[in-house]
Each structure stands twice: as structure tokens, then as C-alpha cells.
Amino acid sequence: MEPADEALCERVARRDEAAFELLVSRYQERAYRLAWSILRNAEDARDVSQEAFIRLYETAGTFRGRSKFSTWFYRILVNLCLDHKRKHKWWKLWVRDDDEDRAETILDRQPAPVNDPVDKLSREATLKALGSAIDRLAPRQRAAVLLRVQEDMATYDIARVLKCSEATVRVHLHRALATLKKTVEKR
Amino acid sequence: MARHPDNDLIPYLRGELPPAERERVARHLEECPDCKQDAEVLRDLLGNLAHAMGQPPGVSWGRYRAELSEKLDARRRQIGWRRRPMPLALSASLAGVLLLVAVWGGREISKRGDPIGPDEVVIGQEFGLLQDLHTVERLDLLEDLEVLRNLDGLASEHQS
């Protein structure tokens, strides 16, 4: 039987390298994908997700098991992403558009198979607009949406990751989806 | 009609609401066509969002873990350096400097002597000690037995 994440984290606190390797291999893809969804830059996503694993290694002893390991780890990761965005906000506005990865991936998205080419184009255009609208959301709104949609997290867990109340998460989600809904309706 | 359950629609669609709240939202949706339409749009939107977010560029996971391992080692070295005791030569030099400062500082302080406080002046005037301050300053001479024996002679020499 595979050891639970929480048990592995306890072993990491005792500096068990094998347990750390296992946790990294379990979470590396999710951590990188979530970081990329928030930061929209592959290099930054790689750096920040790796930093989250280093923090996990350093602070595993502080995990008390009051929440799921995934919630605790995502809190570290999302905080690092939001800090990174805050620090690089003005720099990126000045230097370049932080949307550089999007251009390559927008056509790689996987719309549901549709036979009518006009419908397909329309759907792709809608998804593209939706993707851009997600990028323009406020960072915490975007994080809430990503945790809900990508990680399928419950409101309670999102609240623990973002360190706010469930009511606040509901407001974040409602506002974010209201904005996205407008984007779709405009098309 | 009760207030529109805007913020509750997403938790409702995900089946997260407790039974009483769920019942309230369901009842509202039956009565309010606008909210019902909103809920349907939100359901479709949530379904599309996963596709809209797309996938990040691919990563070589072996390289990713190798980089992580290097960064972790670098962090450990950094922490180790901070915690490591100072090299012997540096410790000895620092101890020497501290000793010099202590000795030199001590000599400076002893040269200055203790300042005479106002209380001491009053007591001194009462006993007439300050009138013969030069004698008082040399009281350590009294520790010398020879000086004690010739104390009268010294006093007459001083007067002449």
C-alpha cells in the first residue's frame, strides 16, 4: 500500500530523502501546472514550484496534520506565486507581456471534438477569449478559480489555501465567473 | 422573493452546501428564471474553463528534479555556512582584539578614577579630608610599614 502524503511529510521532517523524492514525484506536475496557470510563464512556474518543494523540505516539521497535506502544500505554492506576481508586476509591465507562453499553447488546447468547422472555430475563439479573460482576473480571484477548476478543490479547502473565509472565496469565485460570463456573452 | 443567491450558486452546483442552504437555493432557482439561467451559464462556464486554461509547455521531469536537487543542496550549504563555527584563526584574532580592547579600556578607566560625588564632598568637608587631598590621594603609602613608622617625619618635611 502506498504511504499517505501526510505520513511522507512526517518522514520528510525527519530528513528522509526517499520520502521527499516520492512527494516531489507525486506533486511535481500539479505544482508546475498550477504555478504556470497563475504566472503564465514556464520558467517562472518551474522556479516557483521548485521553491515550493524546497520550502516543503525546510518546513515539513511545521505540518501539524490539521488539514490535508495537499491543502498545506498548495498554500505554500499559491503564496509563492502571488508573491512572485506582486514582485514582478511592475517589472513585467515595463519589460514585456507576461503572456508569452500563451501564444504557443492556445492552439494546443483540447476542445471537445466538433465536426462543424465553423462551430469549431467559434468554440476555439471563445476559449481563447476566456483564457485571456482568466489572465486579466485579480490574482486571488484567479487563484480561487484555478484551485476550483484545475484542482477540483472545495470552497473550504480553497479558503485554507488562500487564508481567508469561505464567504470570501464564494465572493471571489462569483465575481470571477461573472467577469468571465460577460466575456462569453460579448461573443 | 428572497435575495438572489449569487455567491452560493457555485457551491450549489458543486453540491457543497449544507442541506438547509441547498434547499433554499433550489427553491429560489425554481421561482427565479434569471438565477436559473445564471446557474446554467455558470455550469457551462465551469465546464469550459478547464479547456480555456490550456496546458503549460512540457517539462523534462528528470531535469526538473535534478535542478531541484541542486537548489536544495545549495540551500543546505548556505544554511550550513551560517551555522558553522568560525574558523580557528578568525576566532583567535577576534579574541585577541577583544582582550586588547579590554586591557586598554581598563587602563583608561583606572586613569580617570571615580568622580567625586556631592555626598562625598559634604562628608569630606566635615572630616577635613579634602583640605589635605594630596595626602588622601597617597593613602596607599600607609600600606608601607616604613612610611607608617616615619609618618611624623614626613609631615614635618612637607611643612618645611
Side-chain angles (χ1 to χ4, degrees), chain B residues 126-151:
Chain B
E126 261 188 51
F127 290 95
L129 287 174
L130 289 183
Q131 289 162 8
D132 291 308
L133 188 60
H134 63 279
T135 311
V136 174
E137 280 178 330
R138 300 182 66 195
L139 275 177
D140 55 331
L141 294 174
L142 295 176
E143 289 171 14
D144 191 333
L145 199 59
E146 281 298 311
V147 175
L148 281 173
R149 279 179 186 148
N150 302 310
L151 202 57

Side-chain angles (χ1 to χ4, degrees), chain B residues 41-152:
Chain B
V41 171
L42 282 179
R43 186 183 281 122
D44 287 347
L45 197 55
L46 284 168
N48 279 329
L49 279 179
H51 295 304
M53 282 168 189
Q55 293 295 318
V59 168
S60 154
W61 294 112
R63 199 172 142 206
Y64 179 93
R65 282 197 296 275
E67 277 175 10
L68 173 59
S69 181
E70 278 172 27
K71 287 180 181 177
L72 194 56
D73 283 346
R75 192 68 64 88
R76 282 192 195 118
R77 279 197 300 275
Q78 211 179 355
I79 292 168
W81 172 252
R82 273 192 234 135
R83 287 183 184 163
R84 189 181 301 165
M86 277 185 288
L88 190 63
L90 185 63
S91 306
S93 312
L94 197 62
V97 169
L98 284 174
L99 192 65
L100 273 174
V101 168
V103 169
W104 183 78
R107 283 177 61 187
E108 285 296 305
I109 288 167
S110 68
K111 266 187 206 169
R112 259 185 265 137
D114 294 328
I116 299 167
D119 293 349
E120 287 165 319
V121 172
V122 172
I123 295 167
Q125 279 169 346
E126 261 188 51
F127 290 95
L129 287 174
L130 289 183
Q131 289 162 8
D132 291 308
L133 188 60
H134 63 279
T135 311
V136 174
E137 280 178 330
R138 300 182 66 195
L139 275 177
D140 55 331
L141 294 174
L142 295 176
E143 289 171 14
D144 191 333
L145 199 59
E146 281 298 311
V147 175
L148 281 173
R149 279 179 186 148
N150 302 310
L151 202 57
D152 292 340

